[in-house]
Amino acid sequence: MIRQLATLALAAVLALPAQAETKANQLFGAADLPTSNRPMPFGSYAKGCADGLVQLPETGPTWQAMRLSRNRNWGHPVMIDFLVDLSRAANQIGWPGLYIGDISQPRGGPMVSGHASHQIGLDADIWMLPPRRLDLSRQEREDISSIPVRSADQRSVTKNWTASHHALLRAAASDGRVDRIFVAAAVKIEMCKTATRADRDWLQKIRPVAGHDTHFHVRLKCPRGARHCETQTPSVKELSNGGNGCDDTLMWWVSDDYLNPKPDPNAKPAPRQRHPREYTLADLPRQCRNVLSSP
């Protein structure tokens, strides 16, 4: 009965003019289950939705899903398989497994809080905290926090960074399903210190991004046959000019120009960019209306 009422309410919203629509994040955030359609991502990582997402089990032999109250442990089957495989790889390098953070909502789409991306089931956050145990209760998963591997001044790694973190990121980036991995710049700089020519292809996938001091963010390529999925551009090869990304563009992330920019009195204000939390359904791929209304 509740599900029927929710469907009727959604149908009323879908009939409204675009300018009067409820924000898309409210609609997708209210969906507690995925569609029964075959798995298919629609749109881009930061402007899309998805059919047929599947739930990462809350606990497995080598992983635990964290922050269960968010209901964001849903992903494309390719992502779920990847996370399970990576958790086994973590076990091989000496960790009990992985603590896995947000993936996507049951039907993807913009979220009411947090991420701009994670909208098509192909993004996932993995904690930098090596699991102490894999039998955490639901409440413990809400209370526990990860650890920072980047210093407060953003220029170096902390004592929490270990060789096993390096090995885990290498294993993740070496997987052919992975498009790129976002980390704090200090992490990439540290990994570049021991880089060899043989590391180029996987190391170029490790990309510096602001934040990401307590987790790394894995982004998968659009799966084969997902014709409505938009792969991110430029590619990591283009961003790295065919190299491994250990160059001056990397060091900019820890420069004063970036960390402590001086205001330019002559600069014109940049146009304000809308955040995905402001999107309505009219901003998303047309298939997202069906994703919301499908059983």
Side-chain angles (χ1 to χ4, degrees):
M1 183 63 178
I2 293 176
R3 190 98 184 249
Q4 290 175 332
L5 290 173
T7 300
L8 289 172
L10 177 60
V13 169
L14 295 177
L16 293 173
Q19 64 271 22
E21 285 184 7
T22 303
K23 293 291 189 289
N25 65 348
Q26 299 296 324
L27 297 170
F28 282 97
D32 58 357
L33 292 171
T35 73
S36 57
N37 301 327
R38 69 186 182 95
M40 182 63 66
F42 299 108
S44 66
Y45 303 93
K47 185 182 282 189
C49 59
D51 263 330
L53 298 185
V54 297
Q55 189 174 39
L56 176 73
E58 295 178 3
T59 298
T62 50
W63 76 85
Q64 282 202 287
M66 309 302 283
R67 304 291 193 265
L68 297 175
S69 62
R70 298 177 179 175
N71 197 27
R72 295 177 180 175
N73 57 322
W74 299 83
H76 190 282
V78 172
M79 172 57 84
I80 302 305
D81 288 345
F82 166 81
L83 291 171
V84 171
D85 291 345
L86 186 63
S87 72
R88 292 171 179 156
N91 191 249
Q92 294 297 310
I93 66 171
W95 289 20
L98 296 176
Y99 287 154
I100 298 172
D102 289 354
I103 310 172
S104 288
Q105 299 175 135
R107 301 185 183 211
M111 298 184 181
V112 296
S113 64
H115 316 283
S117 59
H118 290 254
Q119 293 192 32
I120 56 175
L122 296 173
D123 293 287
D125 290 341
I126 299 169
W127 285 21
M128 291 290 194
L129 175 66
R132 300 182 180 93
R133 29 186 276 258
L134 292 172
D135 61 351
L136 299 177
S137 67
R138 290 182 68 91
Q139 189 57 51
E140 287 175 312
R141 297 184 220 199
E142 300 294 330
D143 296 339
I144 192 174
S145 296
S146 189
I147 54 173
V149 296
R150 185 212 67 199
S151 62
D153 69 3
Q154 303 188 43
R155 299 180 189 273
S156 61
V157 294
T158 69
K159 63 181 180 180
N160 293 326
W161 175 259
T162 66
S164 62
H165 285 88
H166 187 290
L168 178 62
L169 279 163
R170 175 173 183 159
S174 298
D175 192 300
R177 293 168 287 192
V178 172
D179 181 64
R180 64 197 72 200
I181 297 174
F182 301 121
V183 299
V187 167
K188 170 90 177 192
I189 291 169
E190 187 68 19
M191 297 182 76
C192 286
K193 290 179 181 178
T194 56
T196 68
R197 183 174 298 178
D199 297 327
R200 183 196 64 188
D201 290 345
W202 67 264
L203 190 54
Q204 67 181 206
K205 295 183 184 180
I206 307 291
R207 305 302 310 169
V209 173
H212 295 77
D213 58 327
T214 60
H215 71 274
F216 62 94
H217 175 158
V218 176
R219 174 163 292 171
L220 300 189
K221 300 171 182 175
C222 290
R224 182 176 299 176
R227 61 190 180 90
H228 299 292
C229 179
E230 299 174 19
T231 299
Q232 185 173 349
T233 56
S235 69
V236 294
K237 185 176 182 179
E238 290 167 335
L239 288 169
S240 301
N241 293 316
N244 59 13
C246 301
D247 52 25
D248 289 343
T249 62
L250 173 61
M251 300 310 296
W252 174 81
W253 288 88
V254 294
S255 68
D256 282 336
D257 285 343
Y258 173 70
L259 297 176
N260 303 295
K262 296 178 180 178
D264 182 354
N266 299 316
K268 295 181 179 179
R272 181 182 176 276
Q273 299 294 318
R274 293 173 67 209
H275 192 278
R277 286 195 289 274
E278 300 176 82
Y279 293 162
T280 66
L281 277 178
D283 296 307
L284 302 181
R286 59 179 176 78
Q287 295 90 349
C288 291
R289 289 179 175 266
N290 290 332
V291 168
L292 278 174
S293 60
S294 292

